């Protein structure tokens, strides 16, 4: 082993040991189990269900993912943006106030806001929920709301919404999905369809009239996911 390689190994070992000690101290200071995020709990459940398959999926080529999704983004934007923007005023407003950044493992949707006081969020729920799913929990962080449903197979459905007038961002996994441009009630929407059977699909869209951005995620067929998305409405 060269001196440089040996030095790198020693430095790596020292950093890992320091991180381990910091982690042990942080966990020791907790009074109970950490308040894990729902995304973490979902990923942990998938790991425990089939560790070998999970590891295989996570080891996919990063270079291949970068080239594939960059190509998808470029082709989709070039072919559809001009037509959508020319014919749909709501789409023009959406593009001005919302944009996406493609990365190897996820897409970040950013919202610039308009500086106005956001309208009351209200309570939004799907009027259609697939058979076997029950409401599991809610998360209210600032002006973002998330509602989760779960079935007896531990598959989750998650509805997230936030005011379009707010600054913020939403991160979506694109490593295990294929991108499509679709519509929800005639509004432009981005659909990420899961590649494998238990990969969740996600659809995200903005409703200019309601002043909201919506994201719906779950292990459903494309047709059922869009049907559920179109059933989302404010409750009385």
């Amino acid at each position: 082993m060269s001196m440089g390689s040996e030095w790198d190994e020693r430095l790596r070992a020292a950093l890992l040991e320091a991180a381990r000690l910091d982690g042990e101290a942080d966990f020791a200071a907790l009074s109970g189990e950490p308040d894990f995020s729902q995304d973490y709990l979902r990923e942990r459940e998938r790991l425990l269900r089939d560790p070998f398959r999970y590891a295989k999926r996570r080891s996919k080529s990063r270079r291949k993912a970068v080239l594939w999704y960059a190509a998808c983004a470029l082709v989709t934007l070039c072919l559809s943006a001009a037509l959508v923007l020319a014919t749909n005023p709501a789409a023009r407003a959406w593009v001005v106030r919302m944009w996406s950044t493609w990365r190897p493992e996820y897409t970040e949707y950013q919202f610039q806001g308009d500086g106005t006081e956001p309208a009351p969020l209200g309570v939004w729920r799907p009027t259609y929920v697939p058979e076997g799913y029950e409401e599991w929990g809610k998360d209210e962080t600032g002006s973002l709301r998330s509602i989760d449903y779960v079935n007896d197979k531990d598959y989750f459905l998650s509805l997230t919404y936030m005011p379009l007038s707010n600054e913020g961002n939403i991160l979506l996994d694109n490593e295990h999905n294929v991108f499509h441009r679709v519509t929800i009630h005639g509004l432009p929407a981005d659909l990420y369809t899961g590649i494998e059977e238990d990969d969740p699909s996600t659809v995200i869209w903005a409703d200019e009239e309601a002043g909201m951005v919506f994201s719906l995620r779950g292990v459903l067929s494309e047709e059922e996911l869009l049907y559920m998305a179109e059933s989302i409405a404010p409750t009385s």
Side-chain angles (χ1 to χ4, degrees):
M1 179 182 293
S2 67
M3 183 174 296
S5 298
E6 183 178 357
W7 168 255
D8 288 343
E9 285 299 318
R10 289 181 178 180
L11 178 60
R12 178 176 180 274
L15 292 173
L16 288 174
E17 178 65 13
R20 184 185 68 80
L21 293 174
D22 284 345
E24 287 182 352
D26 291 338
F27 275 104
L30 294 174
S31 58
E33 186 179 69
D35 185 18
F36 294 118
S37 71
Q38 293 176 0
D39 281 341
Y40 168 81
L41 293 175
R42 284 191 290 266
E43 287 299 307
R44 186 174 71 178
E45 175 63 28
R46 297 178 72 183
L47 169 63
L48 295 176
R49 186 186 305 140
D50 192 339
F52 294 103
R53 186 162 183 257
Y54 185 89
K56 181 179 179 181
R57 290 172 60 250
R58 299 302 298 177
S59 64
K60 289 181 178 179
S61 168
R62 300 295 185 261
R63 173 177 169 79
K64 184 177 180 180
V66 172
L67 294 176
W68 172 257
Y69 290 110
C72 286
L74 180 61
V75 172
T76 302
L77 290 174
C78 290
L79 295 180
S80 64
L83 177 61
V84 173
L85 294 179
T87 60
N88 192 327
R92 287 198 297 271
W94 184 26
V95 170
V96 169
R97 297 167 64 179
M98 170 178 170
W99 67 94
S100 60
T101 302
W102 290 73
R103 305 186 190 280
E105 298 180 353
Y106 66 91
T107 303
E108 179 180 11
Y109 287 83
Q110 298 172 303
F111 313 95
Q112 67 176 18
D114 57 12
T116 62
E117 186 69 22
L121 273 173
V123 178
W124 296 77
R125 292 290 187 276
T127 57
Y128 168 78
V129 176
E131 185 177 354
Y133 281 88
E134 297 181 354
E135 190 169 314
W136 180 73
K138 294 179 287 188
D139 185 20
E140 299 182 356
T141 304
S143 59
L144 186 142
R145 299 291 182 269
S146 180
I147 302 94
D148 289 323
Y149 301 84
V150 66
N151 67 6
D152 57 5
K153 296 181 179 179
D154 289 330
Y155 284 163
F156 283 86
L157 287 172
S158 297
L159 167 63
T160 301
Y161 59 94
M162 61 178 287
L164 186 57
S165 59
N166 272 22
E167 290 186 5
N169 63 354
I170 294 177
L171 305 182
L172 297 183
D173 172 34
N174 62 28
E175 189 180 9
H176 308 107
N177 302 83
V178 177
F179 175 82
H180 307 276
R181 177 56 63 90
V182 296
T183 60
I184 302 293
H185 291 305
L187 299 172
D190 289 351
L191 172 66
Y192 296 80
T193 305
I195 296 174
E196 298 190 24
E197 185 178 355
D198 63 348
D199 285 336
S201 299
T202 304
V203 61
I204 181 171
W205 74 102
D207 187 327
E208 190 77 19
E209 184 176 348
M212 294 290 172
V213 176
F214 298 95
S215 173
L216 182 63
R217 179 175 184 262
V219 183
L220 296 176
S221 67
E222 176 181 332
E223 294 75 15
E224 191 165 28
L225 185 72
L226 296 181
Y227 184 80
M228 184 177 178
E230 293 199 325
S231 78
I232 294 170
T235 63
S236 57

